[in-house]
Amino acid sequence: MSFQAPKGTFDWLPPKSEQILAVRAALAQPVRQAGYGYIETPSFEDTELFARGVGESTDIVSKEMYTFPDKAGRSLTLRPEGTASVVRAVLQHNLHTGQLPVKLWYSGSQYRYERAQRGRYRHFWQVGAEALGAEDPALDAELIVLAARGFADLGLTQVELLLNSLGDKVCRPVYRAALQDFLRGLDLDDDTRARIEINPLRVLDDNRPEVRAQLVGAPLVVDHLCAPCKAYHEEVRALLTEAGVAFTDDPRLVRGLDYYTRTTFEFVHGGLGSQSAVGGGGRYDGLSEMLGGPALPSVGWAVGVDRTFLAMEAEGLLGETTEARVQVYGVALGDDARRRMFLLVDEVRKAGISADMAFGGKGLKGAMKGAGRSGARFALILGERDLAAQAVQLKDLTTAEQTEVPLAQVVDVLKGKVQ
Ligand code: HAM
């Protein structure tokens, strides 16, 4: 074999690829039902959009972006996430001057140059939802409820919701300073010391045991929330409780993107090992202004489709992947019969019945093998003699029962049998 998919990427092949389509559709269904409109943005943007939007100090921007110059010398980047692009599109097309909030959802590839491992890929797929232009705890709660419903509709029962608030531009700087004071007193390596000055919240995310042990007494953002942030967070919590969505307060939950304010959350699954987050999101009240727009308080999430699939696998929800691709399979013998079969199969499809046929001039045995593999219930067999009689043999592949049907009636007969 000469080529392989690049490191950290993989192919979705039939029949699993059918299941991934179903997973994407199921994740999107709850937000569609809640009035979120579909948006597609380009898979690359100006590098500066992500540098400013996601944040220079994040791993995503500093280490993981696929950045390249185009032929005119512009710096472009394959999108590492969807939120910055959605905000860019809303501002560019003035959607925020109409009815607020602007509610949008998307589904697409994302690209991050990460250390590849199970559940962590360099090319992966997200379904996401964003609500822009409203500061309302009910909107945060709505989005969380809808994401939880997507997981539940897929049959997942072991997805856990972690919830936190990161405060706002009033209380976060005070907290940040208190955290920095605390962290500067610890015994840490140089890289981590540097991180204290750039992005101290990320230090809380450090999973190394020797660091974790020292973080036990770290100040927590919940203890530093200003009164409005506290009230906002309590309301989100109350609404989730009333909606019956279970959550765990996680005062150490920090997200890997800089734009978050107030509500932040993550959906995690125990069956995924170290890459446990199946989805995440939160409020990003300052992002629009960071991108040169007006104040546009907003909230959203993205769910990792590939990880959701792994979670379903871990819960044994995917079942047998039988390749029942079509309902009817055409087998023709001889050139004239093949030509007639080509048209007949198309007539069957036009009648709303899925159908395939043997290609490549196979003999009867090979073609019947194809019929068996196709998962079809019925085979249509057409030989030269049938063609002369303007009839076709209809074979029920489950009972091996075979009947002759006039060509002119075969579509109607099939309609009666398969629907
Ligand atoms: P994120 O937490 O970076 O947030 O990604 C969301 C989800 O995408 C993760 O929970 C995970 O399931 C999946 N994911 C991330 N990286 C990878 C990877 N390398 N391989 C496989 N799956 C991955 C965001 O992207 C934000 N834009 C979410 C958001 C929307 N916040 C507000 N609105």
Side-chain angles (χ1 to χ4, degrees):
M1 197 197 318
S2 45
F3 288 107
Q4 303 263 317
K7 189 174 161 109
T9 73
F10 62 93
D11 305 301
W12 281 108
L13 305 173
K16 277 190 174 180
S17 51
E18 289 294 332
Q19 294 178 313
I20 204 76
L21 283 177
V23 171
R24 285 175 199 154
L27 290 171
Q29 177 54 22
V31 284
R32 299 182 67 189
Q33 201 191 23
Y36 287 70
Y38 179 62
I39 181 169
E40 264 185 40
T41 62
S43 49
F44 55 82
E45 299 267 2
D46 269 355
T47 300
E48 194 55 24
L49 174 70
F50 300 119
R52 274 209 258 163
V54 177
E56 301 271 11
S57 71
T58 60
D59 281 354
I60 294 180
V61 171
S62 62
K63 298 185 200 155
E64 298 171 359
M65 297 213 296
Y66 282 93
T67 297
F68 57 96
D70 75 2
K71 292 188 192 304
R74 301 175 191 91
S75 179
L76 299 174
T77 293
L78 296 182
R79 62 179 176 210
E81 61 105 47
T83 311
S85 304
V86 169
V87 176
R88 192 268 306 141
V90 166
L91 296 176
Q92 178 180 337
H93 303 288
N94 284 315
L95 301 188
H96 59 296
T97 57
Q99 166 96 353
L100 295 176
V102 181
K103 289 177 154 190
L104 297 166
W105 74 276
Y106 53 89
S107 173
S109 297
Q110 313 294 338
Y111 311 84
R112 296 183 193 175
Y113 190 77
E114 295 209 64
R115 211 154 34 79
Q117 63 178 86
R118 184 177 154 81
R120 186 161 67 194
Y121 310 111
R122 293 181 174 175
H123 168 246
F124 59 98
W125 201 280
Q126 287 181 340
V127 167
E130 317 283 352
L132 301 98
E135 190 183 290
D136 183 341
L139 196 56
D140 306 40
E142 168 178 284
L143 273 160
I144 293 172
V145 167
L146 295 172
R149 184 158 308 142
F151 293 127
D153 288 351
L154 287 168
L156 287 163
T157 56
Q158 293 163 34
V159 175
E160 193 193 349
L161 169 61
L162 307 177
L163 187 69
N164 195 16
S165 171
L166 291 181
D168 64 5
K169 56 179 185 254
V170 176
C171 54
R172 173 105 70 100
V174 182
Y175 168 66
R176 192 175 185 272
L179 180 62
Q180 280 176 322
D181 272 353
F182 172 86
L183 295 174
R184 285 186 195 120
L186 304 183
D187 177 21
L188 299 165
D189 59 89
D190 288 348
D191 274 358
T192 313
R193 292 204 151 277
R195 192 171 298 147
I196 297 173
E197 306 310 319
I198 306 163
N199 198 346
L201 269 72
R202 292 296 291 174
V203 181
L204 292 180
D205 230 6
D206 204 313
N207 278 326
R208 290 172 297 177
E210 67 276 18
V211 180
R212 289 237 73 94
Q214 297 188 69
L215 290 174
V216 174
L220 297 175
V221 65
V222 275
D223 301 324
H224 286 75
L225 293 181
C226 58
C229 282
K230 206 172 175 60
Y232 195 97
H233 193 52
E234 285 313 315
E235 182 63 10
V236 173
R237 295 177 76 253
L239 287 169
L240 290 176
T241 304
E242 273 171 43
V245 172
F247 60 88
T248 305
D249 289 307
D250 182 355
R252 287 175 189 276
L253 176 71
V254 272
R255 306 257 309 124
L257 304 92
D258 273 357
Y259 49 61
Y260 291 111
T261 51
R262 291 194 168 170
T263 313
T264 45
F265 53 89
E266 222 155 70
F267 291 93
V268 294
H269 193 279
L272 293 187
S274 63
Q275 302 307 308
S276 62
V278 285
R283 188 155 267 287
Y284 48 94
D285 291 342
L287 180 54
S288 167
E289 285 152 300
M290 286 193 288
L291 299 179
L296 205 61
S298 306
V299 54
W301 49 251
V303 169
V305 176
D306 314 273
R307 280 192 204 167
T308 301
F309 189 91
L310 292 177
M312 292 179 69
E313 223 165 41
E315 288 197 32
L317 292 169
L318 293 168
E320 281 295 294
T321 49
T322 48
E323 206 163 346
R325 294 184 301 116
V326 292
Q327 297 161 291
V328 173
Y329 195 89
V331 172
L333 301 164
D335 289 344
D336 292 340
R338 254 192 273 279
R339 205 166 289 131
R340 184 65 187 88
M341 183 58 79
F342 175 78
L343 297 174
L344 180 59
V345 161
D346 205 44
E347 280 168 46
V348 172
R349 293 177 189 147
K350 281 193 279 194
I353 300 166
S354 58
D356 191 7
M357 64 179 275
F359 288 97
K362 290 194 188 70
L364 182 63
K365 218 170 133 200
M368 287 309 289
K369 216 184 252 176
R373 289 212 187 105
S374 77
R377 165 92 192 272
F378 295 101
L380 294 173
I381 305 162
L382 189 67
E384 297 291 342
R385 219 179 311 145
D386 301 308
L387 191 57
Q390 287 294 298
V392 64
Q393 305 297 322
L394 175 64
K395 183 168 183 178
D396 184 328
L397 294 170
T398 54
T399 61
E401 192 188 327
Q402 189 165 313
T403 46
E404 184 168 300
V405 181
L407 270 174
Q409 289 169 24
V410 69
V411 172
D412 284 338
V413 170
L414 281 172
K415 273 201 216 163
K417 285 183 184 290
V418 299
Q419 275 153 1

